[in-house]
Amino acid sequence: MARPTPRELEVIRSTPISEHMIRITLGGDGLASFPPEQEGGYIKLVFPQKSAMGPMLRTYTIRQQRHAEIDVDFVVHDQTGPASAWAISAKAGDRILVGGPGPKKIINHQADWYFLVGDMTALPAIAVNLEQLPSNARGYALIEVISEADIQSLNHPENMELHWLINPQPDPEGDSLLSELKTLHWLPGQAAVWAATEFSSMRKLRAFFKHHCGIPRTHLYVSSYWKIGYSEDQHKVAKKQDAEMQAA
């Protein structure tokens, strides 16, 4: 089946969220056929390139959706890539092609407690997951951010503890989140786990939750959203190779 033609959307506004995160609100006539309730689903932003290589696609999570508007949160660094550079300079009236939406990745709600783990690239998806948990949910959300000024106020069930890990530089060994989560008390009962982070970190988290904690496949979602030193296209190749090794 052919993919649907990307929609052309318009920048409605740009809102700073924290020191290293900007929220771009998109709208326009292109959203007329956009399905409702897509918070946590992903879209593909299409950035034109001057070279003959064709347009560049980048994947982002829909953070919030309202009538005729969607919010997309961008992590921005001192050394920006094309997507974050676009977000920094985006102004009302700018237009961009948007593919999707793709499936939502929501934690399994049939569990005794919940563990959400991720870095800033996963913060929008973690925020959506927290908002959609049952009101009596208990457990942890462990979130790695670049600076203390990136800590956000998130809506969450009263018994979900939020833990913030400050890490100005990406960890090439992927140990930071794993080391921090091991300090948290493992709760009784069946846990559901949702984790998304850098590639090396993802592999170590997956091994820990799968083999050490015995989380079944039905209650385990672990994904990498990026890889240090890799473009998104190169990261996709690494993810595919990793998935093939896991399936072997």
Side-chain angles (χ1 to χ4, degrees):
M1 182 181 294
R3 295 180 179 178
T5 302
R7 301 169 169 85
E8 185 179 58
L9 300 184
E10 180 180 343
V11 175
I12 305 301
R13 59 187 167 272
S14 172
T15 308
I17 299 299
S18 69
E19 182 179 2
H20 295 96
M21 185 164 276
I22 296 175
R23 176 167 296 163
I24 303 297
T25 299
L26 300 173
D29 294 340
L31 277 182
S33 61
F34 202 85
E37 299 180 358
Q38 293 303 305
E39 292 93 343
Y42 70 85
I43 53 176
K44 297 282 187 179
L45 302 184
V46 183
F47 299 95
Q49 295 189 96
K50 295 180 181 179
S51 68
M53 297 176 62
M56 178 183 66
L57 276 65
R58 291 292 180 265
T59 306
Y60 282 87
T61 298
I62 300 170
R63 173 62 184 90
Q64 293 178 332
Q65 182 178 7
R66 296 170 300 281
H67 176 68
E69 290 185 350
I70 59 173
D71 292 334
V72 184
D73 292 354
F74 292 76
V75 180
V76 295
H77 303 272
D78 293 334
Q79 295 182 343
T80 58
S84 53
W86 177 87
I88 290 170
S89 62
K91 60 185 183 300
D94 289 351
R95 307 188 75 84
I96 188 168
L97 291 177
V98 178
K104 296 186 283 187
K105 304 298 184 181
I106 302 299
I107 195 169
N108 188 336
H109 286 184
Q110 304 301 313
D112 297 309
W113 64 283
Y114 307 89
F115 209 141
L116 299 159
V117 187
D119 58 24
M120 283 191 70
T121 64
L123 182 48
I126 290 174
V128 172
N129 270 284
L130 285 170
E131 291 171 353
Q132 297 187 4
L133 282 173
S135 60
N136 64 346
R138 62 194 183 107
Y140 307 106
L142 173 59
I143 307 167
E144 182 180 29
V145 292
I146 298 171
S147 74
E148 188 172 353
D150 289 312
I151 295 175
Q152 299 183 21
S153 177
L154 303 178
N155 294 325
H156 61 90
E158 180 180 0
N159 291 320
M160 286 293 297
E161 295 182 10
L162 269 57
H163 294 262
W164 299 90
L165 174 63
I166 312 299
N167 188 9
Q169 297 296 329
D171 173 17
E173 301 301 321
D175 291 323
S176 299
L177 281 167
L178 179 58
S179 297
E180 187 69 17
L181 74 84
K182 286 180 178 180
T183 69
L184 300 176
H185 176 64
W186 194 259
L187 301 179
Q190 178 62 63
V193 172
W194 188 103
T197 183
E198 191 274 334
F199 183 82
S200 297
S201 178
M202 174 277 294
R203 297 184 71 182
K204 292 190 175 181
L205 290 170
R206 181 180 62 199
F208 177 78
F209 285 124
K210 184 177 179 180
H211 302 300
H212 181 78
C213 301
I215 304 297
R217 182 185 299 269
T218 54
H219 289 68
L220 180 63
Y221 173 80
V222 183
S223 181
S224 62
Y225 279 6
W226 62 292
K227 186 172 178 10
I228 294 173
Y230 280 52
S231 69
E232 179 160 327
D233 290 339
Q234 292 170 328
H235 171 232
K236 286 171 64 176
V237 172
K239 284 187 70 172
K240 181 179 179 181
Q241 293 172 341
D242 178 71
E244 291 171 349
M245 290 176 59
Q246 288 295 306

